[in-house]
Amino acid sequence: MQTLNPYKLIYAFLVISAVTFIFSSFKTQNPGKTQSGLIYDYLKDFHQQTILLDKRAQAYKLKNIPQDSLKEALLKTRKSYKQTEFYLAYYYPEYISSHINGAPLLHVETEGNLSSVLNPEGLQVLDEIIFSGDAEKERNQIAILTKRLRTNYEMLYNKLIVKEIHIDINAFRLQLVRIFTMGITGFDTPGSINALPEAEASLAAMKSIFEASYHSSQIVNLFEKAIKSIEGKTKTHFEEFDRLNFLKKYIDPLYNQLAVFQSDKNDNTLKFLSSWNPESNSIFSKNFLNPYKFTQLKESEDSRVLRKLGKKLFYDPILSNNEKMSCASCHQPEKTFTDHISKSVSNVQGISVMRNAPTLLNAVYADRYFYDLRAFTLEQQAEHVIFNKQEFNTAYTSIIKKLEEDPEYSKYFKKAFGNKTINRERFVKALASYVLSLQSFDSTFDKYVRNENKGLSKEAQNGFNLFMGKANCATCHFAPTFSGLVPPFYNENESEILGVLQDPDASVKIVDTDEGRFNNQVNSEKQWIYEKSFKTTTIRNASLTAPYFHNGAYDTLEEVIDFYNEGGGAGMGLKVTNQTLPPDKLDLTQTEKKELIAFIESLNDVSGQ
């Protein structure tokens, strides 16, 4: 679920104003077929389509046109938007996600000490309603939303037509990421499932603009092949579409080759808002994301020596009050940095901690930590463990004193920082350095995508296509982290309400009582939309990290897939407030379930520990 930050919105507008003022080159008078002229044409067409959609919606409200006529207008508007998305969503990300094409989910807006729940708006919301069975009874709401869409875009459009436009090649590259992770997965088209025609429209627009600006027959040819591979495909082809082939043959090669045209790899408009690394050459590169964007530790401060100190601290039970518990007590490397029990053992005899211990592999790639998202940095995450009475049950002053009394630690800190001073800041930096190093992007699947091996089974290939399509997994577990870290900027985490059962084997099914994010002690999130909402964790190494979910109630991947196949708690007929997982059954066959597991197993990689 995305939370609108008004300060980020203001910042984004200021950045764009500065960038667009500096660079050239379009004027509204006679733009021709230059790069900027083509962009202007696409922006203008989208403006016209929002006007036509608004008129259709008002007519539909009065019952003057059938629903099919309204659907047709929405599809045209969405297609037109997709031709501009690479530009609009790159330079105006906050505004676009909030008002033009954000996820159809309730979200919280915070201003000062006050927070309120806001209804979503934009194209995705309209897509979900207009292509549903509820469209007829939602006539008034559809009319309101289309009017708002028209007004919101008109405000932006009127600013754009008097500005000069500059296109960073990274806008194209991130659009390829968006097409792959959010477009062809169906995330963007929850009602119409018109994902493939929209991907075609987006690719065609980028090709025409690239061709007007750069000279590379190789890239133009790749664009043409990508477009041809998806040309003419409709929602009837959604489930059968070979997304893995599309990624390997077209999306990833385009992503790689377009990097050559970057004017300055450090001149990224969104570098302060995004963890994406423009120096990566594949969506599945080990360096696709910059881990230091998620920590207070700077890359210039990190070192092998600091990491070694962090590792020593990680395994040392001296950190806990009773000196019997270390970080590795719950995050054991031989168990993929989990402990393979439902809920970890606490330092109080006979009592377990509140939730299951997730793996620490790739844990750094998140802007919020713990299942309830109560910590905002990797360093802050450590504090919650230190102060928790069921875990370390201590304080920094006590830890620092113990470390200062140990001559060996004095040597370690001197090597890492230049002198023997031990304090809270240095302590958390060392721990963060070690946890940050626990990365896992070298699996069989990763290597296959990067053309480093040919050893991916047909079963796993089918499983990936199911994961990204019919099984609907990738609309929450986004590639390449396969977690809730939202593409293409990868700067925020989603949490979901699934209706996880307290005991899936019980004869009487009951939704687990843990309130999750609702009780995370973040005042602005004490909202009903977060009741029983939990962080979407990675499925990388999932076959090695049982049991599953926040309560560890599911012992096998088969049980997890069966749960999703039923549509979660709501799909089983249980009352789940605001379940964000669609309650519809997936109708997966036994073969398809096995293929999904084969794909998940292909993501195993413990080499980074």
Side-chain angles (χ1 to χ4, degrees), residues 152-384:
N152 287 336
Y153 180 62
E154 199 156 48
M155 289 171 60
L156 180 58
Y157 177 71
N158 287 336
K159 293 181 180 181
L160 292 174
I161 60 175
V162 296
K163 286 183 177 290
E164 297 177 338
I165 280 187
H166 160 69
I167 293 297
D168 190 325
I169 201 71
N170 285 329
F172 290 175
R173 300 183 76 211
L174 282 180
Q175 183 64 10
L176 292 171
V177 175
R178 187 181 287 107
I179 289 171
F180 173 66
T181 59
M182 307 183 88
I184 61 174
T185 63
F187 176 91
D188 220 23
T189 50
S192 66
I193 316 298
N194 199 45
L196 303 183
E198 290 190 3
E200 179 188 346
S202 185
L203 288 167
M206 285 193 290
K207 171 192 167 288
S208 66
I209 292 166
F210 178 85
E211 202 168 14
S213 313
Y214 303 96
H215 299 288
S216 173
S217 58
Q218 185 177 12
I219 290 180
V220 170
N221 186 45
L222 257 179
F223 266 121
E224 289 174 346
K225 288 181 177 179
I227 293 165
K228 188 174 182 179
S229 74
I230 209 168
E231 192 174 32
K233 288 183 168 53
T234 65
K235 68 178 183 179
T236 60
H237 301 93
F238 180 81
E239 291 186 4
E240 66 187 48
F241 182 63
D242 191 341
R243 290 162 175 82
L244 185 55
N245 181 67
F246 189 61
L247 168 67
K248 278 178 62 69
K249 282 191 174 181
Y250 311 115
I251 294 294
D252 226 31
L254 275 169
Y255 176 87
N256 179 26
Q257 292 185 32
L258 283 169
V260 175
F261 292 89
Q262 292 178 108
S263 57
D264 182 355
K265 292 184 179 181
N266 295 315
D267 182 24
N268 180 7
T269 304
L270 298 171
K271 66 181 178 180
F272 296 112
L273 300 179
S274 173
S275 65
W276 172 67
N277 178 14
E279 295 187 24
S280 59
N281 58 21
S282 166
I283 296 174
F284 285 83
S285 291
K286 296 177 187 178
N287 68 338
F288 178 73
L289 298 177
N290 177 9
Y292 295 97
K293 289 293 184 182
F294 302 104
T295 69
Q296 294 172 346
L297 176 69
K298 298 176 182 177
E299 186 172 7
S300 59
E301 297 173 318
D302 203 3
S303 67
R304 183 185 60 81
V305 176
L306 184 63
R307 195 170 304 124
K308 188 175 181 181
L309 169 58
K311 184 175 183 179
K312 179 175 173 60
L313 291 167
F314 185 88
Y315 289 95
D316 199 338
I318 196 176
L319 302 185
S320 61
N321 184 47
N322 62 10
E323 300 190 358
K324 294 181 180 180
M325 177 180 279
S326 71
C327 302
S329 297
C330 300
H331 301 284
Q332 302 166 30
E334 67 274 15
K335 296 179 180 178
T336 326
F337 288 93
T338 67
D339 54 15
H340 287 178
I341 57 179
S342 296
K343 296 178 181 178
S344 301
V345 177
S346 77
N347 62 24
V348 181
Q349 189 172 0
I351 296 178
S352 298
V353 299
M354 190 174 183
R355 300 186 180 112
N356 176 259
T359 181
L360 291 187
L361 291 175
N362 293 334
V364 66
Y365 295 104
D367 82 318
R368 301 284 292 273
Y369 298 86
F370 293 107
Y371 281 108
D372 59 12
L373 286 81
R374 66 183 181 272
F376 288 80
T377 66
L378 193 60
E379 290 82 358
Q380 191 184 69
Q381 181 269 339
E383 292 183 5
H384 286 270

Side-chain angles (χ1 to χ4, degrees), residues 135-153:
E136 188 170 339
K137 63 182 181 182
E138 295 288 348
R139 291 175 187 270
N140 288 340
Q141 183 63 12
I142 290 170
I144 291 170
L145 287 169
T146 53
K147 180 70 70 179
R148 194 173 294 162
L149 173 67
R150 173 181 175 176
T151 303
N152 287 336
Y153 180 62

Side-chain angles (χ1 to χ4, degrees), residues 509-559:
K509 308 299 183 187
I510 300 173
V511 176
D512 192 77
T513 57
D514 190 335
E515 290 295 332
R517 192 172 181 177
F518 181 75
N519 281 340
N520 68 4
Q521 306 305 309
V522 178
N523 291 336
S524 63
E525 296 183 359
K526 191 75 172 178
Q527 301 283 356
W528 65 272
I529 65 169
Y530 292 140
E531 290 176 11
K532 295 181 171 57
S533 183
F534 295 92
K535 180 179 179 179
T536 303
T537 55
T538 182
I539 59 102
R540 284 181 176 272
N541 297 300
S543 70
L544 305 175
T545 58
Y548 304 103
F549 293 120
H550 67 275
N551 59 357
Y554 293 71
D555 294 326
T556 67
L557 285 175
E558 286 82 358
E559 289 179 348

Side-chain angles (χ1 to χ4, degrees), residues 1 104-106 128 472 475-476 494-499 529-534 536 567 570 576-583:
M1 295 184 181
L105 298 169
L106 294 164
E128 187 172 65
N472 212 26
T475 57
C476 295
E494 282 194 345
S495 64
E496 301 288 346
I497 300 170
L498 307 176
I529 65 169
Y530 292 140
E531 290 176 11
K532 295 181 171 57
S533 183
F534 295 92
T536 303
V576 184
T577 303
N578 192 40
Q579 179 169 304
T580 54
L581 175 73

Side-chain angles (χ1 to χ4, degrees), residues 562 565 588-595:
D562 283 341
N565 195 40
L588 297 172
T589 66
Q590 290 303 314
T591 297
E592 288 172 333
K593 292 177 184 179
K594 290 179 181 178
E595 289 172 338

